[in-house]
Amino acid sequence: MMFEPQQRRNNPVARNSMALFRLSQAIKKITQAESDAAGLSPVQIQTLLFARYTRDDMATVGNLAAAIGATHVTAVKIVNGLVKKGLLAKIQNPEDRRVTLLTLTAKGREAASRLQDWGRGLEEAVERIPDEILANLESGLGAVISILREKNYLVVSEPCLGCVHFRPNVGDTSTPHYCELIRKYLSQQAAQKECPEHTPASHQKAP
C-alpha cells in the first residue's frame, strides 16, 4: 500500500511507512559512503562497534547476529574476516567454555576509536530539526522501534540502567550491581556497556 501514490495521499500510515522506507535507503547510502572511507564494510564496522560497546560476557556471535539482523552463518563469516585482519579475537567464555566471546585486539581498538564519527551524516541531518519537532520525532520513532522489537525484527541493546533485570548498588565495591537475568554481580564499567538482553522496565508485563 505504501508504494501506491494515491493510497499514500489519504493514508497517514502509508505515508509514514514510506517515509521510514526512504529514510532507511538514505541511511544505507550514508553509512556505505562513510564505511568506504574507513576501508571497511558497514557490517564490519557494526561488528567492531558491537565488540567495543557490548558487555564482555554478552559479546557472542549469536548476539552479534541478532544485533545486525544476520544469520549465524553470516555473522561467523564477518567475524572470521575481521579476525584475519587482526582486528578481532575469539576467546572462550571462562564461565562457559562452550560459548565464544568476541573482543577487540589492540589494532581493533585503534580502528574502533577512529569510528566515532561513523553515521555523522545522519546526525547532521537530525541536528537541523527544531527541538519541538525533534521531541515528537523521538517519541514516534520510539514507538515504532518498540513494536518492531516486540515482533523480533530488531534487537535494542542498551546499558543496564532502566532494565527490569537490573538491581543497582546491592553488591560490594568492585561489583556493586546485580543482574537477575544471568544471576551475576556486575562492575560499574560492565553495567555501563550495552546488553542485547536489555528489557525496559516499561515493558514489564503485569502479573
Side-chain angles (χ1 to χ4, degrees):
M1 182 182 294
M2 69 178 183
F3 293 101
E4 171 56 55
Q6 297 305 316
Q7 291 286 344
R8 289 200 304 269
R9 180 173 299 179
N10 299 312
N11 189 321
V13 171
R15 290 198 302 273
N16 280 280
S17 296
M18 178 54 78
L20 289 170
F21 180 79
R22 288 169 173 164
L23 180 61
S24 71
Q25 292 180 303
I27 292 173
K28 182 178 180 180
K29 188 172 183 178
I30 290 170
T31 54
Q32 183 64 63
E34 294 178 351
S35 298
D36 290 344
L40 296 166
S41 69
V43 290
Q44 286 178 324
I45 289 179
Q46 284 180 277
T47 300
L48 292 180
L49 294 177
F50 170 86
R52 182 179 189 184
Y53 293 114
T54 300
R55 208 172 72 213
D56 294 348
D57 59 327
M58 288 292 183
T60 66
V61 176
N63 283 335
L64 169 66
I68 64 176
T71 64
H72 191 274
V73 172
T74 298
V76 169
K77 290 180 180 179
I78 296 168
V79 167
N80 288 341
L82 291 171
V83 170
K84 288 182 180 179
K85 288 178 177 288
L87 300 174
L88 204 63
K90 295 186 288 186
I91 61 174
Q92 286 184 321
N93 186 338
E95 298 177 358
D96 186 348
R97 300 181 68 82
R98 297 169 299 177
V99 177
T100 299
L101 300 176
L102 306 177
T103 184
L104 294 173
T105 63
K107 183 179 177 182
R109 288 192 295 272
E110 181 181 350
S113 68
R114 296 195 297 268
L115 299 174
Q116 293 298 319
D117 288 334
W118 191 68
R120 181 58 185 162
L122 179 59
E123 288 188 26
E124 289 175 347
V126 176
E127 283 175 347
R128 298 176 61 180
I129 301 174
D131 290 344
E132 61 273 16
I133 297 178
L134 193 60
N136 292 328
L137 177 63
E138 183 176 10
S139 178
L141 290 177
V144 174
I145 289 172
S146 179
I147 293 170
L148 294 177
R149 181 180 182 275
E150 290 174 0
K151 291 180 175 292
N152 294 319
Y153 287 128
L154 55 79
V155 170
V156 179
S157 294
E158 292 290 347
C160 293
L161 187 63
C163 177
V164 296
H165 307 297
F166 185 57
R167 300 293 177 265
N169 304 315
V170 295
D172 57 26
T173 304
S174 60
T175 53
H177 312 303
Y178 186 74
C179 175
E180 289 193 341
L181 180 66
I182 61 173
R183 299 180 180 179
K184 178 181 177 180
Y185 285 94
L186 305 171
S187 67
Q188 178 67 17
Q189 182 181 21
Q192 291 178 336
K193 285 197 168 185
E194 294 182 344
C195 173
E197 297 289 347
H198 181 97
T199 304
S202 59
H203 288 184
Q204 190 172 25
K205 294 181 179 179

